[in-house]
Amino acid sequence: MATKRIIDDDRLTAVGLLVEVHRGLTQKFAARLARHGLSENELEIMLRLGRTPNCQLRMSDLAAQTSLTTSGVTRVVDRLERAGLVERASCDTDRRGTWAVLTEAGLDRVTAAVADHIEDVDRWYTGLLTPEQLTALTEALRIVRDTVRPEAVAGVMEAERARPRRHVGV
């Protein structure tokens, strides 16, 4: 009887598949995002802002929520700001803090990109699963995310309590 080798452990298969899926999806999504003039990082920043109360997050919370470093977020926000898609605002509750705020033009751009992106997400990911599989996968991924990256929801509650800015339709 053969002994199962540690390198054949199913846990390695599970994490390996997750990495392979992420890489594959990133490649599949890139072309259509480029047609909207957005990189994956820019889309992530704009989606996080657009899905947050008042379409704003502190820069430090935006870094905590994304896969980017603080300086990486600054560079992406700089590009988005030059394009008129994001603006910065002073944070009333933290003098050292700065809000990144999605502009009307930014909301329009991310909304247009997301319409196509959803098609790709459905074609290459969610549409391949039954509703039950998708629910189970989402719940499982949230458990893992909340354990390995609890900061991924950083600043959301503060953004809800922040002095309301203009609402940009979100």
Side-chain angles (χ1 to χ4, degrees):
M1 180 160 131
T3 305
K4 187 171 182 179
R5 303 175 314 162
I6 194 159
I7 63 171
D8 296 324
D9 192 303
D10 290 340
R11 293 171 292 187
L12 295 175
T13 302
V15 77
L17 285 168
L18 183 63
V19 169
E20 289 176 36
V21 166
H22 177 263
R23 287 181 184 149
L25 289 173
T26 299
Q27 290 172 345
K28 296 292 186 191
F29 298 159
R32 200 154 356 179
L33 287 177
R35 281 186 250 154
H36 288 279
L38 295 174
S39 69
E40 179 183 6
N41 290 335
E42 291 165 339
L43 177 69
E44 182 179 16
I45 296 281
M46 294 173 72
L47 273 176
R48 295 230 178 230
L49 291 173
R51 293 175 59 139
T52 302
N54 299 316
C55 294
Q56 65 183 28
L57 278 169
R58 286 185 310 169
M59 293 285 288
S60 57
D61 293 331
L62 201 48
Q65 288 188 24
T66 66
S67 57
L68 299 170
T69 63
T70 303
S71 63
V73 166
T74 298
R75 286 190 298 275
V76 173
V77 169
D78 286 346
R79 281 195 311 269
L80 294 170
E81 189 173 34
R82 283 191 300 274
L85 304 174
V86 169
E87 63 187 21
R88 287 180 168 88
S90 297
C91 180
D92 294 341
T93 60
D94 178 2
R95 290 182 185 214
R96 294 172 297 156
T98 302
W99 294 103
V101 184
L102 193 63
T103 64
E104 289 283 350
L107 183 61
D108 290 346
R109 172 81 67 86
V110 74
T111 299
V114 165
D116 283 343
H117 186 59
I118 290 288
E119 287 180 14
D120 286 346
V121 168
D122 194 50
R123 178 179 182 189
W124 300 110
Y125 183 46
T126 58
L128 302 174
L129 305 172
T130 66
E132 295 79 18
Q133 289 171 322
L134 182 57
T135 297
L137 178 61
T138 301
E139 290 172 0
L141 289 172
R142 188 165 281 122
I143 289 167
V144 175
R145 189 274 321 267
D146 290 352
T147 301
V148 300
R149 297 213 52 229
E151 69 278 7
V153 294
V156 173
M157 294 305 291
E158 184 176 346
E160 287 178 7
R161 291 188 306 268
R163 186 183 61 176
R165 290 185 40 85
R166 61 176 164 60
H167 288 283
V168 288
V170 175

